[in-house]
Amino acid sequence: MDGGEDRLFLGLDFSTQQIKAEAINDSLQIVNETAVKFDSDLPEFKTHGGVHIHNDNVTVTAPTIMWVKAFDLLLEKMKKDGFPFHKVACISGAGQQHGSVYWKTGTNKILRSLDEKKQLHKQLQNCFSIPDSPVWMDASTTVNCRELEEKVGGPLKLAEITGSRSFERYTGTQIMKISRTRPSEYKDTERISLVSSFAASLFIGDYAPIDLSDGSGMNLLDIRTKKWSPECLQACGSDLSQKLGDPVPSKQVIGNVSQYLISRYNFSPNCKVVAFTGDNPASLAGMAPKLGDVVISLGSSDTVFSWSPSHTAELEGHIFVNPIDSNTYMSLVCFKNGSLTRERIKDESADGSWDKFSEYLKKTPIGNNGNIGIYFDVMEIQPLVQGIFRFNKSDEKVTSFPPEVEVRAVIEGQMIARKMYMEMEMRGMHTGLDTRILATGGASLNKAILQVISDVFGAPVFVSDIPNSAGLGSCYRAKHGLEGCDFSEVVKNHPQPECVAVPTEGAHEVYKEMSLRYRKLEREIANQQ
């Protein structure tokens, strides 16, 4: 290993559509980015968006060996480009949350004795008892979700134990489904990994443990004791504790890189591997947050997450053990109707122009003269509703708004909902001038939208140019785990986000009243569905 100044930290992001590697130096400068896209770089697997959607339109999987082959291709690309693997001091990574991998009995012996002359996918091609991994998009386990909730005493009880009520994409019910419908394959499963711990296993040449943060997204981990919940395990599958292994803190060093990687790619024998985690927890780390910050990710789906010192069980949203500090929590609320809905309104009401969209936002008054729009183009998560609903200042339904009113209505309605559910999820938490809202994702480039966020939340909004927060967060977590210092020390050279919006005077009073109306109207809509 070269001297301290030459050290590199490698972060991997095994996402739905690609694997991406990112490397930083001790000054946190990004020195390498390499990606392999499943659809285009591995066309033989015939995936669309990285997955296979089955004929029932609810079962969604990905070929596990495709991920292994992509891993081979990624490292070979980096080697060809002259990446200095020998300088990497520590590695960590992220995986798409809720996906699961089923290792066949006897595979661990193969992982521990890999042949450096052969590609990894050729040695592991027959090592998965379930060759197609269920991923987060799968929605085929509704009956299993209801059974799990019933067996532990109801959805709120399950949320108290695991941080969330049962959702179809969560891993516990996926395991339950496989144990019931494919019992022989389940019996032949030696270890069950999440995508994150599966990826870490490829680096250490052994079964890697599941970390506490990603493990919180399974409906199996007791987030109070930081151990698997016996009653949840019993409900989902036999011998499940043994198949999962013991969970570990997210910043734990789980081993050194394998001899296979040392021989084939010239990694240093001293290179450590820190437990991999889920993509959302890694993204939190990549934003370099402080306790109490609120992160709003504005993408195809919108996500609001926060670093909080405690948790309260709710039926909306999710609580994870914090990947930065296992004694605190990460709260997360997800909304399906995000950027695609905003783009539709832009196309229909602003002639397809974001500039015109922004002009409409700037010239319409805060509160939109009392008009409220609720836009669920696809079935929303909370509430479970689909449809477009418009109300005037008297809460009477109307069929349409003028274009400029429609534009403000979609942004105000979405952001009121984001704040409302965040406060429900993190009971007692309220944003204010001392709160930092960290905005990321495509819409974070639109300052008119960010101004509405600032006005609704009553807090200043900051943005930073972090195109791959999960990969960067994995680099930070590698450095954090290796050095064992406070996370704030690790990210002290992180680029400071720019304050781009502060609350407009008087906005708080307008949105306080409007939020009460929004909540009442949304409840009425949900009750009518």
Side-chain angles (χ1 to χ4, degrees):
M1 181 73 64
D2 289 6
E5 284 303 311
D6 293 319
R7 294 191 310 175
L8 299 180
F9 298 90
L10 184 62
L12 279 293
D13 180 14
F14 281 63
S15 67
T16 309
Q17 299 186 48
Q18 66 177 352
I19 297 178
K20 188 170 186 179
E22 194 155 320
I24 63 170
N25 59 21
D26 266 304
S27 300
L28 309 190
Q29 296 169 313
I30 296 173
V31 297
N32 181 273
E33 290 182 305
T34 308
V36 171
K37 296 181 179 179
F38 302 137
D39 292 0
S40 56
D41 291 330
L42 296 164
E44 64 269 30
F45 292 100
K46 299 178 180 178
T47 56
H48 295 280
V51 301
H52 291 147
I53 300 176
H54 295 228
N55 290 335
D56 61 5
N57 287 320
V58 292
T59 302
V60 185
T61 62
T64 312
I65 199 66
M66 177 183 73
W67 296 336
V68 183
K69 193 169 184 180
F71 179 73
D72 280 330
L73 187 55
L74 182 83
L75 293 184
E76 286 166 9
K77 268 188 174 186
M78 295 172 71
K79 183 177 181 179
K80 185 178 179 181
D81 292 341
F83 179 78
F85 290 105
H86 65 284
K87 292 185 178 182
V88 177
C90 193
I91 301 164
S92 192
Q96 54 168 298
Q97 290 202 261
H98 316 302
S100 46
V101 171
Y102 300 79
W103 301 92
K104 188 181 291 184
T105 298
T107 296
N108 209 21
K109 292 180 182 178
I110 297 173
L111 279 172
R112 291 173 177 174
S113 55
L114 294 166
D115 184 348
E116 68 191 68
K117 296 182 177 64
K118 296 179 182 177
Q119 292 177 304
L120 200 55
H121 73 274
K122 292 180 178 178
Q123 300 182 70
L124 298 179
Q125 58 187 346
N126 297 314
C127 290
F128 304 104
S129 54
I130 305 291
D132 295 299
S133 288
V135 297
W136 65 273
M137 296 166 68
D138 188 282
S140 65
T141 59
T142 301
V143 63
N144 307 105
C145 291
R146 301 294 80 78
E147 181 181 341
L148 176 58
E149 289 177 344
E150 183 180 343
K151 283 192 171 182
V152 302
L156 185 59
K157 180 64 175 177
L158 183 64
E160 289 173 355
I161 298 169
T162 70
S164 303
R165 66 175 303 166
S166 189
F167 290 91
E168 282 80 357
R169 64 188 184 278
Y170 270 45
T171 325
T173 50
Q174 293 289 350
I175 293 170
M176 181 194 292
K177 175 190 170 185
I178 286 171
S179 70
R180 303 276 178 79
T181 61
R182 305 176 73 171
S184 60
E185 290 95 331
Y186 180 80
K187 186 176 181 180
D188 194 29
T189 299
E190 183 171 70
R191 177 63 71 98
I192 299 173
S193 295
L194 296 178
V195 178
S196 57
S197 58
F198 152 79
S201 300
L202 301 182
F203 275 100
I204 66 172
D206 202 346
Y207 291 146
I210 293 171
D211 81 293
L212 291 174
S213 191
D214 206 9
S216 309
M218 301 175 73
N219 281 141
L220 294 176
L221 184 79
D222 188 325
I223 61 171
R224 302 162 298 184
T225 65
K226 312 294 194 298
K227 297 178 180 178
W228 301 123
S229 161
E231 52 194 321
C232 294
L233 293 180
Q234 186 175 1
C236 291
S238 60
D239 301 320
L240 192 46
S241 177
Q242 185 175 348
K243 292 181 188 295
L244 293 172
D246 294 332
V248 299
S250 303
K251 65 179 182 180
Q252 182 165 313
V253 173
I254 58 172
N256 288 22
V257 292
S258 68
Q259 185 58 49
Y260 174 83
L261 294 181
I262 294 167
S263 300
R264 190 174 176 91
Y265 297 104
N266 198 31
F267 277 95
S268 165
N270 298 319
C271 179
K272 306 293 183 186
V273 179
V274 166
F276 283 31
T277 192
D279 50 6
N280 283 310
S283 290
L284 179 74
M287 298 295 288
K290 300 173 183 175
L291 189 64
D293 283 349
V294 174
V295 178
I296 299 180
S297 177
L298 301 165
S300 299
S301 58
D302 287 350
T303 307
V304 182
F305 43 99
S306 178
W307 178 359
S308 51
S310 59
H311 76 280
T312 304
E314 296 288 349
L315 296 181
E316 301 85 6
H318 318 279
I319 301 290
F320 299 93
V321 177
N322 194 300
I324 298 168
D325 177 1
S326 294
N327 294 315
T328 60
Y329 296 89
M330 168 183 165
S331 302
L332 182 150
V333 191
C334 186
F335 304 85
K336 283 187 180 178
N337 293 275
S339 66
L340 297 181
T341 301
R342 293 186 285 269
E343 287 173 15
R344 179 181 65 79
I345 299 296
K346 178 259 296 179
D347 292 340
E348 294 176 1
S349 299
D351 300 327
S353 166
W354 282 117
D355 288 340
K356 193 168 186 177
F357 188 97
S358 297
E359 285 177 25
Y360 283 160
L361 276 179
K362 291 173 183 175
K363 78 176 190 179
T364 45
I366 290 171
N368 213 8
N369 291 318
N371 295 296
I372 289 179
I374 300 175
Y375 301 84
F376 300 143
D377 288 7
V378 298
M379 186 69 73
E380 191 47 89
I381 300 170
Q382 62 271 315
L384 204 61
V385 172
Q386 184 172 358
I388 310 301
F389 310 91
R390 300 177 183 88
F391 302 90
N392 63 20
K393 63 181 180 182
S394 301
D395 292 345
E396 297 167 333
K397 278 190 177 181
V398 296
T399 56
S400 64
F401 285 145
E404 66 275 14
V405 175
E406 187 94 298
V407 165
R408 179 165 278 275
V410 69
I411 300 300
E412 285 188 340
Q414 286 185 336
M415 298 313 150
I416 287 171
R418 309 304 180 251
K419 182 173 188 283
M420 181 178 78
Y421 281 100
M422 182 205 72
E423 291 180 343
M424 289 167 64
E425 172 70 7
M426 293 165 267
R427 194 184 303 171
M429 178 178 179
H430 298 284
T431 54
L433 293 175
D434 58 346
T435 305
R436 288 199 313 173
I437 306 290
L438 303 177
T440 185
S444 66
L445 300 174
N446 188 310
K447 291 197 174 182
I449 292 176
L450 298 179
Q451 185 60 56
V452 176
I453 294 174
S454 181
D455 290 339
V456 170
F457 280 79
V461 174
F462 296 77
V463 295
S464 52
D465 184 18
I466 303 174
N468 181 24
S469 56
L472 184 60
S474 297
C475 295
Y476 289 171
R477 293 184 55 257
K479 197 170 192 292
H480 186 213
L482 181 68
E483 297 184 346
C485 57
D486 191 81
F487 187 74
S488 61
E489 183 66 23
V490 171
V491 297
K492 64 183 179 183
N493 291 325
H494 177 84
Q496 287 302 305
E498 176 190 2
C499 182
V500 294
V502 295
T504 305
E505 189 175 350
H508 174 74
E509 289 74 19
V510 173
Y511 286 121
K512 182 178 180 181
E513 187 270 337
M514 204 169 184
S515 296
L516 295 173
R517 289 178 54 214
Y518 181 97
R519 186 168 188 176
K520 177 180 75 74
L521 292 168
E522 191 187 78
R523 281 178 173 172
E524 290 174 0
I525 292 167
N527 290 335
Q528 293 166 9
Q529 293 284 303

